[in-house]
Amino acid sequence: MQIAESALSNDQPQVNSTGLANKKTAYYRVNFTGQAGEYFKIWIVNIALSIVTLGIYSAWAKVRTQQYFHTNTLINGTGFQYHGQPLNILKGRIIAVVLFVLYSFAVNSMPIIALPVMLIFVIALPWIVIRALAFNARMTSFRGIRFNFEASYGEAFQIVLLWPLLIIVTFGLIIPLIKHKYYEFVINHSSMGTTSFRYNGKISEMFIIYLIAMAIAAGISTAMMIIGMVFALFAGLASAADESSALMIWLASSGASIVIVLYLALYLLMWAFIKTKTTNLIFNNLSLDEHRFYADLNFSQMAIIQFTNTLAIIFSLGLAYPWAAIRMTRYQACCIQVIVSDNLDNIIAGEIKKVGALGDEAAGIFDVELAI
Amino acid sequence: MEISGVYYSGKSSAALSSALILHAENRVSINQTDIYLSLDELDIAPRIGNGNRWVYFPDGSSFESQDNDALDTLSKRQRNHGLSLHLLESKLRYIIPSLIFTLIFCVCFFIWGVPASTQLIAQTLPDNTSKLLGSQSLEIVDRTLFDPSELSDEKQQTLQTLFKPYLSPDQRVLIRSSEVLGANAIALPNGILIFTDELINITTDQELLAVLGHELGHVEHKHGLQALIRSSLLLFVYTLITGDAAGASSTIAALPTLLLEQGYSRDFEREADDYAMDFLKQHNIPRTALMGALNKIYQAHEIDKKESLRDYLSSHPAPKERLERLTAVE
């Protein structure tokens, strides 16, 4: 496969002729131009102003952040646009926070009403998910054309509630199927203007990803168990020799911290593996009309970036966060290509619908899994 | 003034390389299009970093340009141009104070703000809250941590008589056995104190009273309720700060939160130890009883329960530090 680097200044990408339908195919690598220093300034001002305004500015902060990441994500020199309005987001946030406080208070003080409240939330969940996806899609545009997301409650109900119910019964074996259904649901109901996205991934590929992930997890867990046992053994020997031995306490506590570190490493590896492979799977099976996508994220690269990012954030007490976020986004962006058939000019706008920010914020506060 | 860029009609994704031109009397036009309107009708997107910037027109079409400085000039000519956030985000004289302010705020918030506000909330919540919490949590701990006591009824009765004078009417001591906790005692928010058989078997009466003082300290300071409020508060603050953060990963969040929780928990233990020392002094019981009890508990855990020691070390102050502190009070 021939790959062309698209640069901002270069308006003439490398072009391949397919010869078949007399249409030209062009490859555009997604180009992320965000800079760590630039984002750090935006980020720190966002946090400082959010503190000073007791959280009110956080709605503006969200819009600034989204705009920064959108405008700096370029395809053939054109950036994405973010249209979210701070006041809408603030309204959604206030409602979500009030709901959250009421919920925590109710559950803490009157455990009896926890169940009915939970039930109402569960019934509302598919609706919240639809609203959140729709809000994010409609607030984003490319080349002046807005994205859109539309789905019925029934479909969302299946994805969000029905299938996940089977996780316990099937001992988690159904998770790849749920993930597959979820991506199918999100992508097939998304569109750019009047043109729909299509997802053609196979369930079997998703199963393979999770199978390998499980093998990695099993390997590391075994290592963890062995290390734990060795430390317990030494700790036992030490305490047999001397009951209040400092060595024994040291062994027990350092054994515990090694297990915690290994657990974090395991989590990180699993995250990197699943993220890498599902991103590749999704983009390689994604299409928009005749346009296609190609992603070749590398597992070890992702794991190294995520690992060093985590270390940097911990040791800088969080100050390295902007650098880490930019670095991760840049790597992911440059691994994704858009395979344009003919040109990108023929996507027609749809009717612009208004959507409140409530779903988006409520989803964020209640920690609904929405990430692709 | 002429600004080069790309025009999008908003009806299709077709791109038109064009230029935005500012004419006399603040009229604006776009080359090769019908756009011709007053500058004030333009919606110029705020500048953010040095990324491409957009100008939106009333008919839904838009114009994208990389010429941020020219668009800044254009924006300043508009009748009601707002405050430029980009200015705040680009000048060191705003960035450095923001950074220092945020750092100082975070340090103060975690050292004083969190304990003070949880304490304040815990004290202002009606007493009812603690009672409701306790009745619920007794069921839970009975199910998960405890088995019925194996001590004789006589022994239990003697212990109840021992504790009775030190308890207020709404406080109660329960005796249970627990394989998970070993020699230990816990306090529920509603004033129910649970002592384990394992603890009773190894301690003297005076030492048991010292432990009682420690647990009463937890109840008196409403530590259980505070812990609950604190975790909600930390979650809320975390959501507030990172709510707008794209691509945050939860590994990063889990670690500091865990460390913070343990840190606050150690403060609670110190507070309860102080309360116990006052309690012992007030009732004319030798204050060495608390150290005696702690020493026996540490010993019991080192010999029997290596697993529980790990938790003990993290949520409680280090044994050495704790004992040294008590000796200092002495």
Side-chain angles (χ1 to χ4, degrees):
Chain A
M1 177 171 291
Q2 241 175 319
I3 292 158
E5 285 280 347
S6 100
L8 257 169
S9 53
N10 181 10
D11 284 334
Q12 296 292 317
Q14 190 173 331
V15 165
N16 291 350
S17 179
T18 60
L20 282 172
N22 206 17
K23 279 184 178 171
K24 287 170 179 171
T25 307
Y27 297 86
Y28 299 106
R29 224 170 241 285
V30 178
N31 187 15
F32 183 69
T33 54
Q35 302 288 327
E38 205 172 56
Y39 178 47
F40 178 84
K41 294 172 187 168
I42 295 167
W43 179 77
I44 198 73
V45 169
N46 276 347
I47 293 180
L49 287 179
S50 293
I51 293 170
V52 171
T53 59
L54 301 173
I56 293 170
Y57 187 79
S58 67
W60 278 260
K62 173 177 176 155
V63 170
R64 294 296 281 176
T65 309
Q66 290 292 332
Q67 280 176 344
Y68 187 75
F69 279 86
H70 277 71
T71 55
N72 280 300
T73 305
L74 308 172
I75 298 172
N76 191 23
T78 304
F80 284 80
Q81 298 154 269
Y82 183 75
H83 303 274
Q85 293 297 316
L87 277 175
N88 279 344
I89 290 169
L90 183 66
K91 242 184 286 173
R93 246 169 216 209
I94 289 172
I95 296 171
V97 167
V98 168
L99 284 178
F100 180 68
V101 169
L102 284 179
Y103 169 78
S104 335
F105 187 76
V107 171
N108 280 348
S109 60
M110 263 184 287
I112 309 140
I113 72 155
L115 201 67
V117 171
M118 206 59 215
L119 203 68
I120 294 172
F121 175 66
V122 166
I123 293 169
L125 195 60
W127 177 82
I128 292 175
V129 170
I130 294 175
R131 298 277 292 193
L133 289 167
F135 181 80
N136 284 334
R138 289 174 201 174
M139 291 305 120
T140 305
S141 71
F142 180 68
R143 288 178 157 241
I145 305 291
R146 295 237 187 182
F147 290 85
N148 195 8
F149 177 87
E150 270 174 9
S152 68
Y153 179 89
E155 288 166 303
F157 178 82
Q158 282 181 32
I159 301 299
V160 179
L161 296 176
L162 199 63
W163 288 107
L165 270 181
L166 297 173
I167 291 179
I168 301 165
V169 189
T170 58
F171 302 105
L173 288 173
I174 204 173
I175 287 174
L177 176 76
I178 293 173
K179 286 277 170 189
H180 173 83
K181 293 257 175 208
Y182 178 75
Y183 294 126
E184 213 174 49
F185 167 75
V186 173
I187 293 169
N188 288 344
H189 289 95
S190 295
S191 57
M192 182 180 166
T194 52
T195 313
S196 294
F197 284 93
R198 278 286 153 261
Y199 179 64
N200 299 312
K202 292 193 191 75
I203 297 183
S204 57
E205 292 175 278
M206 191 65 88
F207 264 101
I208 291 169
I209 292 173
Y210 277 81
L211 219 63
I212 299 172
M214 265 161 62
I216 297 176
I220 297 178
S221 309
T222 318
M224 265 160 68
M225 255 170 57
I226 292 170
I227 290 174
M229 266 153 47
V230 168
F231 270 92
L233 185 71
F234 278 112
L237 287 176
S239 72
D242 175 7
E243 281 184 0
S244 56
S245 152
L247 174 68
M248 184 248 130
I249 294 177
W250 182 84
L251 277 173
S253 56
S254 59
S257 29
I258 287 177
V259 168
I260 291 174
V261 168
L262 275 176
Y263 168 76
L264 288 175
L266 170 69
Y267 179 88
L268 201 140
L269 272 180
M270 299 286 285
W271 179 88
F273 183 81
I274 292 174
K275 174 88 184 165
T276 306
K277 296 299 171 187
T278 41
T279 307
N280 287 348
L281 178 66
I282 290 166
F283 279 98
N284 295 337
N285 290 286
L286 178 68
S287 60
L288 175 70
D289 203 8
E290 292 184 309
H291 311 299
R292 300 190 53 81
F293 299 82
Y294 178 72
D296 55 357
L297 268 68
N298 181 292
F299 167 50
S300 52
Q301 280 286 326
M302 283 284 282
I304 290 167
I305 292 173
Q306 181 69 1
F307 179 67
T308 47
N309 274 355
T310 306
L311 285 185
I313 289 173
I314 290 171
F315 287 107
S316 67
L317 300 176
L319 288 177
Y321 172 77
W323 173 80
I326 293 285
R327 198 166 154 243
M328 186 48 109
T329 312
R330 183 182 299 146
Y331 176 71
Q332 289 182 26
C334 78
C335 290
I336 297 169
Q337 292 173 67
V338 188
I339 306 167
V340 172
S341 166
D342 209 9
N343 60 48
L344 275 172
D345 287 352
N346 43 19
I347 293 166
I348 308 297
E351 189 188 340
I352 294 175
K353 295 197 179 73
K354 284 201 170 170
V355 57
L358 175 59
D360 181 46
E361 289 306 318
I365 285 269
F366 287 106
D367 200 17
V368 179
E369 160 77 26
L370 286 171
I372 294 192
Chain B
M1 185 163 63
E2 192 174 318
I3 304 168
S4 65
V6 183
Y7 174 80
Y8 296 100
S9 69
K11 295 177 180 69
S12 87
S13 59
L16 175 72
S17 283
S18 181
L20 185 150
I21 295 167
L22 181 65
H23 302 274
E25 291 172 16
N26 281 348
R27 303 294 288 180
V28 171
S29 74
I30 301 278
N31 275 354
Q32 308 168 62
T33 71
D34 300 338
I35 298 272
Y36 184 73
L37 36 70
S38 149
L39 178 61
D40 287 329
E41 290 178 75
L42 262 55
D43 176 8
I44 303 174
R47 177 169 185 172
I48 179 142
N50 283 314
N52 290 6
R53 181 123 152 249
W54 296 78
V55 179
Y56 299 101
F57 304 105
D59 67 349
S61 61
S62 52
F63 181 79
E64 181 190 29
S65 172
Q66 293 168 35
D67 197 345
N68 267 308
D69 293 336
L71 286 174
D72 278 343
T73 319
L74 202 65
S75 170
K76 282 203 192 96
R77 286 210 190 187
Q78 285 187 313
R79 205 175 302 141
N80 39 12
H81 61 270
L83 167 86
S84 167
L85 287 170
H86 175 68
L87 194 71
L88 289 179
E89 292 162 352
S90 54
K91 294 271 182 280
L92 280 182
R93 67 174 169 250
Y94 300 116
I95 305 292
I96 292 170
S98 296
L99 178 61
I100 294 169
F101 169 76
T102 305
L103 288 177
I104 292 175
F105 177 86
C106 286
V107 169
C108 295
F109 180 76
F110 289 120
I111 295 179
W112 296 296
V114 172
S117 48
T118 50
Q119 210 169 353
L120 187 73
I121 298 170
Q123 301 300 342
T124 38
L125 278 178
D127 285 346
N128 217 358
T129 330
S130 287
K131 288 216 182 68
L132 281 162
L133 273 174
S135 60
Q136 187 75 8
S137 36
L138 179 61
E139 282 171 37
I140 298 171
V141 293
D142 256 346
R143 213 174 327 128
T144 54
L145 294 176
F146 296 115
D147 298 315
S149 171
E150 283 154 17
L151 298 178
S152 69
D153 287 351
E154 267 165 68
K155 173 78 180 162
Q156 293 200 25
Q157 205 49 54
T158 328
L159 286 168
Q160 293 294 357
T161 331
L162 171 72
F163 291 139
K164 189 84 191 141
Y166 305 101
L167 300 174
S168 67
D170 55 347
Q171 290 167 340
R172 198 146 62 94
V173 170
L174 299 177
I175 300 167
R176 298 276 192 274
S177 102
S178 172
E179 260 185 63
V180 189
L181 293 177
N184 219 326
I186 67 168
L188 299 182
N190 62 345
I192 292 182
L193 312 174
I194 306 176
F195 283 66
T196 64
D197 291 356
E198 291 82 351
L199 175 70
I200 293 165
N201 286 335
I202 57 165
T203 43
T204 66
D205 283 1
Q206 285 189 339
E207 285 164 355
L208 275 179
L209 286 176
V211 176
L212 180 79
H214 176 94
E215 297 307 324
L216 284 176
H218 282 314
V219 175
E220 212 54 49
H221 290 295
K222 296 189 176 178
H223 284 160
L225 189 61
Q226 282 193 44
L228 239 164
I229 297 167
R230 193 181 55 214
S231 59
S232 317
L233 190 73
L234 286 180
L235 180 74
F236 178 70
V237 170
Y238 176 76
T239 319
L240 207 71
I241 291 177
T242 61
D244 60 293
S249 120
S250 40
T251 344
I252 297 159
L255 204 67
T257 318
L258 183 78
L259 292 177
L260 275 173
E261 288 274 352
Q262 303 296 57
Y264 294 125
S265 162
R266 284 194 290 273
D267 286 346
F268 281 178
E269 295 307 322
R270 289 185 197 110
E271 229 170 40
D273 279 351
D274 290 347
Y275 187 92
M277 292 302 263
D278 289 344
F279 172 89
L280 292 172
K281 190 180 175 194
Q282 203 186 330
H283 294 98
N284 288 323
I285 305 166
R287 300 206 281 184
T288 43
L290 183 58
M291 277 176 277
L294 282 176
N295 272 323
K296 284 184 177 173
I297 292 172
Y298 287 141
Q299 247 173 45
H301 282 263
E302 280 165 13
I303 294 165
D304 297 328
K305 296 270 166 261
K306 270 143 217 133
E307 291 84 3
S308 59
L309 183 70
R310 195 190 306 153
D311 308 329
Y312 211 76
L313 280 174
S314 51
S315 65
H316 286 61
K320 194 159 164 256
E321 180 221 314
R322 205 171 165 193
L323 292 170
E324 271 168 7
R325 214 172 138 270
L326 293 176
T327 325
V329 175
E330 192 69 21

